[in-house]
Amino acid sequence: MYKEVENFLSEDNIKFIDDTILNSKIPFYHHPFSCLDKDNKPDTKCFLSHVILKRIEHRQEGELYNSPYYPEVLSILNSFFKKSKIKPKEYLRISINYTYSNGHKKSDTHLDHPKIKHKQVLIYLNDCLDKNANTVILDKNKKIIKEVSIKKHKAVLFGNNLHYHYFPKKGCRVVLVCTFR
């Protein structure tokens, strides 16, 4: 499963992205690692993130969301899902990830939820200065299915696939990440 979608955001969605997310009004927090390795140990590839909805594995029962920006981000996701004719049953994780040159070429190959079957949508919120800071989606044999280039306001939907991304050598890469079932 793989699909790219463009032209789905409302004017209000675009205004929120440009005026709030990309204009330093939303706080981003340092994360010392981007994923766990095959031995369940953290890597050393830091990034910034604003967690909208904690990972289902880390949420307390009854905990709904982690950010006051949840309604606006949910509106962005609803615009995508409406255009794609998809009805998520449950959100597993929602965050806005801000990556930059951190001394590493790429993230480790990973699944966002190794023990939970899920689908994933990435919505690129900016045009990264580094045109090689792509997302790479793999099949179960770790062969490349697709290398996705960043384009502001483009969404990419894929299944429970291993993937990784390249850290930008210049500028930043801002991506809304949502996993769901």
Side-chain angles (χ1 to χ4, degrees):
M1 167 201 256
Y2 174 82
K3 182 178 188 177
E4 287 186 26
V5 179
E6 294 186 59
N7 303 317
F8 62 91
L9 295 170
S10 71
E11 287 182 24
D12 287 342
N13 295 157
I14 292 169
K15 183 171 176 34
F16 174 73
I17 291 166
D18 291 343
D19 293 352
T20 303
I21 297 173
L22 299 179
N23 201 15
S24 302
K25 292 180 183 169
I26 189 169
F28 286 94
Y29 299 93
H30 178 263
H31 291 263
F33 63 93
S34 62
C35 59
L36 301 175
D37 67 16
K38 63 181 180 182
D39 298 320
N40 213 26
K41 293 181 183 166
D43 65 19
T44 59
K45 298 168 177 133
C46 59
F47 71 106
L48 301 174
S49 182
H50 184 88
V51 176
I52 305 294
L53 178 68
K54 290 180 187 175
R55 291 173 182 272
I56 194 167
E57 304 94 319
H58 301 143
R59 261 184 262 154
Q60 301 297 317
E61 188 165 331
E63 188 175 10
L64 297 177
Y65 52 86
N66 189 62
S67 169
Y69 299 104
Y70 179 80
E72 292 87 351
V73 171
L74 192 60
S75 175
I76 292 169
L77 291 169
N78 286 338
S79 294
F80 166 77
F81 287 122
K82 182 177 179 183
K83 171 100 180 208
S84 302
K85 298 178 180 157
I86 296 171
K87 292 184 180 180
K89 294 177 189 160
E90 178 181 28
Y91 293 112
L92 304 177
R93 168 187 178 228
I94 304 171
S95 69
I96 302 168
N97 291 349
Y98 183 111
T99 57
Y100 49 88
S101 178
N102 63 5
H104 297 279
K105 182 178 179 179
K106 66 179 194 68
S107 70
D108 288 347
T109 300
H110 65 281
L111 288 172
D112 281 38
H113 307 278
K115 297 179 180 177
I116 302 171
K117 190 168 176 146
H118 63 282
K119 295 176 184 144
Q120 185 157 328
V121 61
L122 305 178
I123 301 174
Y124 299 106
L125 303 181
N126 73 325
D127 279 321
C128 183
L129 294 174
D130 183 348
K131 299 303 177 196
N132 296 313
N134 297 334
T135 303
V136 179
I137 302 166
L138 308 171
D139 68 14
K140 63 184 176 185
N141 297 315
K142 297 185 180 180
K143 294 197 175 166
I144 295 175
I145 295 172
K146 182 74 176 172
E147 185 162 344
V148 184
S149 59
I150 294 175
K151 181 179 178 189
K152 187 174 183 175
H153 302 159
K154 176 173 78 173
V156 177
L157 171 71
F158 56 96
N160 197 36
N161 293 81
L162 289 167
H163 59 282
Y164 60 88
H165 69 270
Y166 291 98
F167 292 103
K169 292 179 183 170
K170 58 185 176 183
C172 64
R173 176 182 189 271
V174 185
V175 181
L176 172 57
V177 178
C178 174
T179 57
F180 65 98
R181 44 180 167 195

